[in-house]
Amino acid sequence: MMQLGWDMGRILSYLFKSLKRLRFSRYYYTNCTAEIRNSNIRSLGMCSFITAFLTVGFLIASFLPVLHYNNYERIFTWLYFLVSCFFCFASTYILGKHKKLTLLFVYLYMIFLSAASIITGVFLCKDRNAVFFFITQTIFPVIFLDTPLRMAGLSLVTVIVFDILAFLFKTPDRYAIDIMNSIIFLITGMLLSIFTANIKLNEFIFQKAIKTERDTDGLTGLLNKSSMMREIRKAVANDSENGILVILDIDDFKRINDSYGHVIGDFVISGIARCLNSSFRSSDIIGRFGGDEFVIFMPFTHDVVIAQSRVKKVLSLMAETIELPNENDKVTGSFGIAVCSEFGDTYDDLFRKADYALYQAKSGGKNQFSVYESMI
């Protein structure tokens, strides 16, 4: 008995540690929304394709006289096949464009499979144990990813519905076994949900950290040159007729570095990065192009007035927030602005135009901006 008590204590201790890790996973859950959605879309597509493929075999079998399928079973098999095809289509086409609906479709699919397994286990296979239902209770937490509390809530509701229907429609010897199994698999599913959520989220966090280190400029926290160019090219490829590219070059930065040292130079660069983040939209792509150059791309707009107002805000913040040891010395910058033409532009076209506009701003006295389209 003492040994049994010791073993139970170790199991409870292990579960407690798992719950502590669960809190860690929930803390990072919102930071991995995109990764979770992509994982669930892939899982939904794979599962719905497999279920649709397997149902084809049942459809063929339903027409074999030796298996004695009745009309209700044929109708149920056809409905199961059609709904599986719908979710396969949704994961490929609908969720590819509307990823915010991913969780809704995942839960609809789990409810559909749970309902199908309950119908099969209670009404179509009264004289057999509901194996299909028990399988779904353990597969869902492994394949799909969501907070374990919500996953456990869905499992609990489906188990309660199954147990009530099994009690009402199955023989006493069958429903007793089914109810016992449903409770065992419910607990198993909850534990699997905790463990798999932590494993997957930790993997997502690790991958995200690697991606951030690879794509981010260490000094400013902005995108580095390669990742910035990749993101801008992607945005321009999606909509080549709407977008504004802005290039910022710090005026006389070499003099600042030579006069005050590299520490002050780094302070100036990081301060300008903060000014850019404060002035532009969260949807804008902001990156450090080189030592004292920054590039900003504003997608989904061709209103140059908006870009001009953002640039004026940056200039104002630079004057107010970035101070040099010599109070009479001010940090200024020159901007070149280029707007996508109505015929469409590539990243290289926009950069060339914005770079020419930047040259005009520098030539005109610095601490100002110039727009390329106004020179056409």
Side-chain angles (χ1 to χ4, degrees):
M1 291 294 292
M2 291 182 61
Q3 182 64 36
L4 179 61
W6 177 253
D7 292 339
M8 289 299 294
R10 287 196 301 177
I11 293 172
L12 290 175
S13 175
Y14 183 69
L15 290 176
F16 177 73
K17 291 178 180 177
S18 300
L19 289 175
K20 289 178 69 177
R21 289 198 299 271
L22 171 61
R23 292 178 60 191
F24 169 79
S25 296
R26 292 185 65 183
Y27 175 77
Y28 283 101
Y29 184 83
T30 53
N31 295 329
C32 299
T33 304
E35 290 81 1
I36 291 171
R37 285 173 178 169
N38 291 331
S39 175
N40 283 335
I41 289 173
R42 290 193 299 268
S43 298
L44 180 62
M46 177 189 68
C47 291
S48 57
F49 175 79
I50 291 173
T51 52
F53 180 77
L54 292 176
T55 312
V56 173
F58 289 110
L59 285 173
I60 296 172
S62 66
F63 292 99
L64 299 177
V66 70
L67 295 179
H68 305 292
Y69 270 67
N70 58 46
N71 290 331
Y72 293 108
E73 290 172 332
R74 289 192 181 94
I75 292 172
F76 175 77
T77 306
W78 272 106
L79 287 174
Y80 191 87
F81 172 73
L82 293 175
V83 175
S84 297
C85 289
F86 167 74
F87 280 105
C88 188
F89 171 81
S91 64
T92 306
Y93 297 100
I94 298 177
L95 297 182
K97 298 180 180 179
H98 306 283
K99 291 189 176 182
K100 291 183 178 181
L101 301 175
T102 300
L103 201 60
L104 172 63
F105 274 84
V106 165
Y107 273 91
L108 287 175
Y109 181 73
M110 289 193 291
I111 291 170
F112 157 68
L113 270 189
S114 298
S117 63
I118 291 173
I119 293 172
T120 303
V122 175
F123 298 105
L124 301 182
C125 302
K126 287 185 178 181
D127 56 339
R128 295 190 295 273
N129 293 327
V131 178
F132 182 28
F133 177 76
F134 305 142
I135 291 174
T136 59
Q137 295 305 304
T138 53
I139 283 181
F140 288 158
V142 176
I143 295 177
F144 299 111
L145 180 59
D146 191 23
T147 54
L149 186 61
R150 282 202 290 253
M151 297 288 286
L154 176 64
S155 297
L156 182 61
V157 170
T158 55
V159 165
I160 291 173
V161 172
F162 172 78
D163 289 346
I164 293 173
L165 293 176
F167 177 78
L168 293 175
F169 295 100
K170 299 192 81 166
T171 58
D173 58 329
R174 289 297 176 188
Y175 80 69
I177 297 174
D178 280 349
I179 290 176
M180 181 181 66
N181 285 335
S182 67
I183 295 172
I184 293 172
F185 282 96
L186 173 64
I187 297 172
T188 304
M190 288 181 178
L191 293 176
L192 285 173
S193 179
I194 293 172
F195 297 143
T196 55
N198 278 278
I199 291 171
K200 290 182 179 180
L201 284 175
N202 286 329
E203 182 182 352
F204 291 153
I205 292 166
F206 179 69
Q207 292 175 350
K208 196 168 186 177
I210 293 176
K211 183 178 183 296
T212 300
E213 185 177 352
R214 182 194 67 198
D215 294 344
T216 305
D217 177 67
L219 177 60
T220 62
L222 302 176
L223 295 176
N224 57 32
K225 181 178 179 179
S226 59
S227 60
M228 175 203 67
M229 291 174 64
R230 182 179 66 248
E231 294 300 318
I232 295 178
R233 289 183 192 277
K234 188 188 303 181
V236 173
N238 290 334
D239 187 0
S240 62
E241 297 179 10
N242 288 291
I244 299 175
L245 188 76
V246 181
I247 301 178
L248 161 62
D249 185 83
I250 305 173
D251 295 332
D252 304 316
F253 182 71
K254 185 178 184 304
R255 180 183 58 80
I256 294 174
N257 251 343
D258 294 340
S259 301
Y260 304 110
H262 291 288
V263 174
I264 298 298
D266 290 346
F267 168 76
V268 170
I269 289 174
S270 58
I272 289 177
R274 289 192 296 271
C275 294
L276 292 173
N277 281 324
S278 300
S279 303
F280 286 90
R281 305 170 300 178
S282 59
S283 59
D284 296 334
I285 301 169
I286 308 173
R288 185 182 178 191
F289 187 79
D292 60 345
E293 279 193 333
F294 299 83
V295 173
I296 307 97
F297 181 72
M298 303 175 64
F300 314 119
T301 181
H302 57 270
D303 189 351
V304 73
V305 176
I306 296 176
Q308 290 173 337
S309 66
R310 305 289 182 185
V311 167
K312 289 177 182 177
K313 185 177 179 181
V314 174
L315 288 171
S316 176
L317 286 174
M318 287 170 60
E320 294 172 4
T321 62
I322 305 175
E323 296 181 356
L324 295 175
N326 183 355
E327 294 182 358
N328 296 323
D329 206 357
K330 298 296 182 182
V331 177
T332 61
S334 300
F335 293 80
I337 304 173
V339 183
C340 283
S341 68
E342 61 183 61
F343 305 106
D345 280 310
T346 65
Y347 165 76
D348 295 326
D349 295 333
L350 281 174
F351 189 87
R352 177 178 51 80
K353 294 176 182 178
D355 193 46
Y356 182 80
L358 173 64
Y359 172 77
Q360 294 294 322
K362 288 279 189 182
S363 302
K366 304 178 182 179
N367 194 28
Q368 60 181 327
F369 61 85
S370 179
V371 181
Y372 180 83
E373 71 172 3
S374 65
M375 297 180 292
I376 298 176

